[in-house]
């Protein structure tokens, strides 16, 4: 059977017509149309409106089938699972971005601190520390 996307395409490139996608996913073409109408899988479209499935779509179709057949999850539940997984993926991507930003900010702060420390004069001598007590008495109005 088919091992991956065609040469020059990645897993998100919509390249497979519905009949090929049905064969690759082990589902009937009518099932793919139904899943599309229900929003479970959203294939790309040609200018003429024909569906084009990517390898990611094929994997998702297989997962929908597995959840339905093996786990006994209904289609509404599967749709919610897919939505939650997409949300988790988005949050993980955002977390990775923010982690990189924080690391860059720390590195910049450390570099700035090192530059300040490097600019200190080496001929300064410490001063004697003195302690004074100041009492402040504000004027009453």
């Amino acid at each position: 059977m088919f091992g991956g996307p065609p040469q020059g395409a990645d897993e998100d490139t919509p390249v497979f017509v519905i009949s090929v996608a049905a064969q690759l996913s082990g589902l009937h073409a009518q099932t793919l149309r139904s899943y599309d109408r229900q929003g479970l899988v959203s294939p790309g479209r040609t200018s003429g409106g024909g569906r084009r499935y990517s390898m990611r779509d094929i994997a998702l179709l297989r997962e929908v089938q597995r959840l339905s057949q093996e786990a006994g999850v209904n289609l509404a539940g599967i749709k919610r699972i897919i939505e939650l997984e997409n949300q988790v993926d988005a949050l993980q991507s955002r977390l990775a971005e923010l982690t990189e930003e924080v690391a860059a900010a720390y590195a910049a702060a450390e570099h700035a601190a090192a530059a300040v420390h490097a600019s200190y004069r080496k001929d300064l001598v410490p001063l004697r520390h003195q302690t004074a007590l100041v009492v402040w008495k504000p004027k009453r109005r």
Side-chain angles (χ1 to χ4, degrees), residues 94-126:
R94 184 64 180 139
L95 177 61
E97 291 171 7
L98 292 173
T99 301
E100 288 179 19
E101 286 180 30
V102 168
Y106 274 125
E110 286 184 7
H111 180 72
V116 167
H117 290 297
S119 71
Y120 289 161
R121 291 183 47 192
K122 305 294 187 225
D123 60 345
L124 297 178
V125 291

Side-chain angles (χ1 to χ4, degrees), residues 12 14-16 36 41-46 49-54 57:
D12 292 318
V15 292
F16 303 109
D36 184 11
V41 179
S42 300
R45 297 286 182 157
T46 65
R51 293 174 177 87
R52 292 293 183 270
Y53 292 83
S54 67
D57 294 332

Side-chain angles (χ1 to χ4, degrees), residues 31-42 75-76 79:
T31 303
L32 272 61
R33 289 183 188 95
S34 173
Y35 288 175
D36 184 11
R37 280 191 301 276
Q38 294 176 42
L40 292 169
V41 179
S42 300
L75 294 180
K79 185 173 182 178

Side-chain angles (χ1 to χ4, degrees), residues 13-37:
T13 305
V15 292
F16 303 109
V17 295
I18 194 166
S19 60
V20 174
Q23 183 180 12
L24 291 173
S25 65
L27 299 169
H28 192 277
Q30 197 60 35
T31 303
L32 272 61
R33 289 183 188 95
S34 173
Y35 288 175
D36 184 11
R37 280 191 301 276

Side-chain angles (χ1 to χ4, degrees), residues 21 40 49 69 84:
L40 292 169
Q69 298 299 314
L84 291 171

